[in-house]
Amino acid sequence: MGRIFETRKATMFARWNRMAKVFTRISKDIAIAVKGSGPNPDNNPALRRALQNARGANMPKDKIEAAIKRASGQDQQAYEVVVYEGYAPHGVAVMVETATDNVVRTVANVRMHFKNNGGNLGTTGSVAFQFRRMGVFRLAPEGIDLDAIELDLIDHGLEEMGEGTGEKGEKQIVIRSAFESFGQLQAAIEERKLPLLSAESEYVAQTPVELPEDQAKEVLELVDALEQDEDVQRVFHNLA
């Protein structure tokens, strides 16, 4: 059983529209989930995850309901999930998950962000081998016995567990599973009513790279530019 002690490296840049961007990303997640399996969260694990993440981000209830209503309509945009791969400065591997209604626009923008920030957009498979797609759950730590929860969830797909921090430095418990066990572990966490903060599929770096602060800043400038793009949902990299 793997032990992880994760610190989510926050970018060094102010994001004035950060909350709006988070809500937009979650609204797209809701739209994709509803289009895939309908608007009833009881029968749609992907929608339950998106709604949990919305609550964790303090997304207003009316915005959540509006997103579900829009996604259920006939004129809702159909988003395609496309993952791009490339290298940031200093050889740092980057995976960019997008949700787009215009692939031509999206790939042009992603390529521009890489070029303008000293990186290179690669081809499919050029960096993916350095990551493993996993289900990642973050829990509030209060009142949780790590050893007991670990033993309890092993049979439901838990592979790694440890301590992490959120973007504001708050303590979290981080649980990971193989992507194939995502739904099974999600169901077990929900059944036990554990204090779930977020549930995501993530590309987890297998060989993290450490850089001096000045070089790390250059990498994070690219990450920040990508994350600000309207079509980008998530950015993953192997910078430690």
Side-chain angles (χ1 to χ4, degrees), residues 26-41 43-48 50 67-81 99-101:
I26 293 172
S27 293
K28 284 188 178 182
D29 286 341
I30 290 172
I32 293 167
V34 170
K35 284 292 184 182
S37 300
N40 185 351
N43 304 318
N44 188 337
L47 180 56
R48 290 203 304 277
I68 295 175
K69 185 176 181 180
R70 283 196 306 272
S72 303
Q74 295 298 317
D75 57 348
Q76 169 64 39
Q77 293 168 298
Y79 293 110
E80 180 180 358
V81 177
T100 178
D101 58 354

Side-chain angles (χ1 to χ4, degrees), residues 110-149:
V110 170
R111 181 179 290 111
M112 175 191 68
H113 294 313
F114 272 97
K115 181 179 179 181
N116 290 350
N117 291 277
N120 293 286
L121 181 63
T123 57
T124 301
S126 58
V127 305
F129 66 93
Q130 300 184 54
F131 297 82
R132 183 184 178 198
R133 194 179 186 191
M134 304 186 78
V136 181
F137 302 85
R138 292 184 169 85
L139 311 178
E142 291 77 15
I144 289 185
D145 183 327
L146 284 178
D147 291 333
I149 290 297

